[in-house]
């Protein structure tokens, strides 16, 4: 069994966010934490796999509890503006904002940590808590199954602020598997339930088995195989999986595949246009009124961008 080392840190160090994908937020968080007029208490937990040369990140949970004077509220605005800037990042798949006092506690969120769903950092529990959340796919993870989540929350109660003259809140960073959208878990499910050799085995079964066997899409050698892989995932999605967590995994796989095909220049202009038209059609099948539907749309829109 591979040995993994868990690091528990209760002191501050420079933020070690592992990607340029969230450069604006990273810079804003660092500036906020180091500001002289910010009182910060830090808690940092990080787990890496030390059996691998690149020391890949397994999990992360960083919280920075802060207190600022009401007159320094602009510091919060600067962080919020950074969220807006990274909202259009190609790796962003979820962006949520909430104003305290409306819709709570249904709008509270649990930000998972690592691969264990039991570990989470909750935001939006307090009725008057305002918060902003952005989730970005880890660009260093070719499976696109892990994410960084960044959040800021602060007490937005005017009465409390007037009495104390201060604003209390938190900056949060987590790293985890993408909830309900884990490629390996889905692949294992396919391998367990599919009937190998059966005429009913779908192209998607075979495609996912190839991904598991090769650990990448390198088995795709030409335009015909690229189209076959895309059609397999599209067909599986259109079977009715648009309202299930399995459907979420498929849209994530579609995005990863399109990104890889574009990077390897495996599609010509005609195939590129066909795939984009199909992706638009799939977006129109999604329900924009729930989180799952919006997650589908986010991945499919990322796939379209990758094919431009």
């Amino acid at each position: 069994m591979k040995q993994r080392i868990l690091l528990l840190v209760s002191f501050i160090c420079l933020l070690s966010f592992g990607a340029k994908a969230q450069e604006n937020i990273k810079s804003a968080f660092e500036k906020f934490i180091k500001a002289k007029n910010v009182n910060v208490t830090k808690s940092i937990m990080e787990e890496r796999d030390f059996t691998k040369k690149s020391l890949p990140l397994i999990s992360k949970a960083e919280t920075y509890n802060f207190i600022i004077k009401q007159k320094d509220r602009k510091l919060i605005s600067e962080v919020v503006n950074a969220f807006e800037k990274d909202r259009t990042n190609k790796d962003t798949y979820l962006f949520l904002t909430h104003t305290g006092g409306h819709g709570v506690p249904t709008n509270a969120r649990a930000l998972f940590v690592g691969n264990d769903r039991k570990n989470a950092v909750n935001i939006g529990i307090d009725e008057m808590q305002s918060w902003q959340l952005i989730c970005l796919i880890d660009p260093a993870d070719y499976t696109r199954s892990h994410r960084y989540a960044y959040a800021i929350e602060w007490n937005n109660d005017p009465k409390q602020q007037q009495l104390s003259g201060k604003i209390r809140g938190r900056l949060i960073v987590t790293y985890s598997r993408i909830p309900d959208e884990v490629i390996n878990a889905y692949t294992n499910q396919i391998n367990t339930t599919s009937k190998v050799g059966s005429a009913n085995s779908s192209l998607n079964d075979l495609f996912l088995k190839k991904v598991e066997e090769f650990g990448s899409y390198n088995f795709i050698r030409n335009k015909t195989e690229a189209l076959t892989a895309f059609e397999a995932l599209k067909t599986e999605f259109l079977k009715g999986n648009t309202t299930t967590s399995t459907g979420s995994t498929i849209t994530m796989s579609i995005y990863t595949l399109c990104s890889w095909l574009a990077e390897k220049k495996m599609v010509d202009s005609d195939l590129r246009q066909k795939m984009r038209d199909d992706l638009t059609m799939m977006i129109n099948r999604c329900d924009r009124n729930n989180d799952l539907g919006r997650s589908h749309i986010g991945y499919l829109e990322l796939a379209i961008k990758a094919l431009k």
Side-chain angles (χ1 to χ4, degrees), residues 44-96:
I44 305 174
M45 183 282 289
E46 182 176 293
E47 183 183 6
R48 291 183 177 273
D49 187 349
F50 281 77
T51 65
K52 298 180 180 179
K53 186 176 180 180
S54 61
L55 305 181
L57 187 61
I58 297 171
S59 68
K60 176 194 286 284
E62 300 183 4
T63 60
Y64 302 86
N65 295 282
F66 65 81
I67 301 175
I68 61 173
K69 294 181 179 179
Q70 191 173 5
K71 66 181 181 67
D72 294 319
R73 189 184 184 90
K74 66 178 182 180
L75 292 171
I76 293 177
S77 298
E78 291 175 358
V79 174
V80 170
N81 289 337
F83 274 74
E84 289 289 344
K85 290 179 181 178
D86 280 332
R87 184 175 186 174
T88 58
N89 188 292
K90 66 181 180 64
D91 291 314
T92 296
Y93 74 92
L94 182 65
F95 181 92
L96 296 174

Side-chain angles (χ1 to χ4, degrees), residues 5-218:
I5 299 177
L6 179 65
L7 302 179
L8 293 175
V9 187
S10 60
F11 54 87
I12 182 61
C13 60
L14 290 179
L15 296 181
S16 56
F17 308 157
K20 293 183 179 180
Q22 49 271 7
E23 194 63 39
N24 292 300
I25 296 176
K26 172 185 175 181
S27 178
F29 273 31
E30 289 177 342
K31 181 179 178 181
F32 187 99
I33 292 168
K34 292 187 289 187
K36 293 181 179 179
N37 45 351
V38 177
N39 184 356
V40 178
T41 303
K42 306 95 177 176
S43 176
I44 305 174
M45 183 282 289
E46 182 176 293
E47 183 183 6
R48 291 183 177 273
D49 187 349
F50 281 77
T51 65
K52 298 180 180 179
K53 186 176 180 180
S54 61
L55 305 181
L57 187 61
I58 297 171
S59 68
K60 176 194 286 284
E62 300 183 4
T63 60
Y64 302 86
N65 295 282
F66 65 81
I67 301 175
I68 61 173
K69 294 181 179 179
Q70 191 173 5
K71 66 181 181 67
D72 294 319
R73 189 184 184 90
K74 66 178 182 180
L75 292 171
I76 293 177
S77 298
E78 291 175 358
V79 174
V80 170
N81 289 337
F83 274 74
E84 289 289 344
K85 290 179 181 178
D86 280 332
R87 184 175 186 174
T88 58
N89 188 292
K90 66 181 180 64
D91 291 314
T92 296
Y93 74 92
L94 182 65
F95 181 92
L96 296 174
T97 184
H98 175 71
T99 301
H102 303 282
V104 180
T106 57
N107 279 350
R109 309 287 295 191
L111 306 182
F112 293 115
V113 178
N115 299 332
D116 187 350
R117 300 293 180 88
K118 295 179 181 179
N119 295 328
V121 179
N122 296 311
I123 63 172
I125 300 298
D126 190 301
E127 181 178 355
M128 294 307 298
Q129 210 77 12
S130 289
W131 52 265
Q132 204 149 35
L133 167 67
I134 190 169
C135 295
L136 307 98
I137 299 168
D138 178 7
D141 178 15
Y142 83 89
T143 68
R144 293 300 196 262
S145 63
H146 286 73
R147 72 164 189 205
Y148 287 92
Y150 296 83
I152 178 174
E153 66 171 355
W154 67 97
N155 189 290
N156 212 19
D157 186 347
K159 293 182 178 179
Q160 187 274 333
Q161 293 178 19
Q162 185 175 8
L163 287 173
S164 66
K166 297 178 181 179
I167 302 175
R168 300 174 184 272
R170 289 191 300 171
L171 301 179
I172 301 164
V173 186
T174 65
Y175 183 81
S176 70
R177 288 187 181 183
I178 299 174
D180 300 321
E181 301 167 5
V182 185
I183 288 182
N184 289 337
Y186 176 59
T187 303
N188 290 336
Q189 176 186 349
I190 289 293
N191 288 339
T192 301
T193 58
S194 63
K195 298 178 180 179
V196 179
S198 168
N200 293 326
S201 295
S202 69
L203 285 172
N204 194 41
D205 294 359
L206 301 176
F207 171 70
L208 288 174
K209 286 179 181 178
K210 280 285 189 181
V211 172
E212 183 180 36
E213 177 184 352
F214 282 82
S216 69
Y217 298 110
N218 290 333

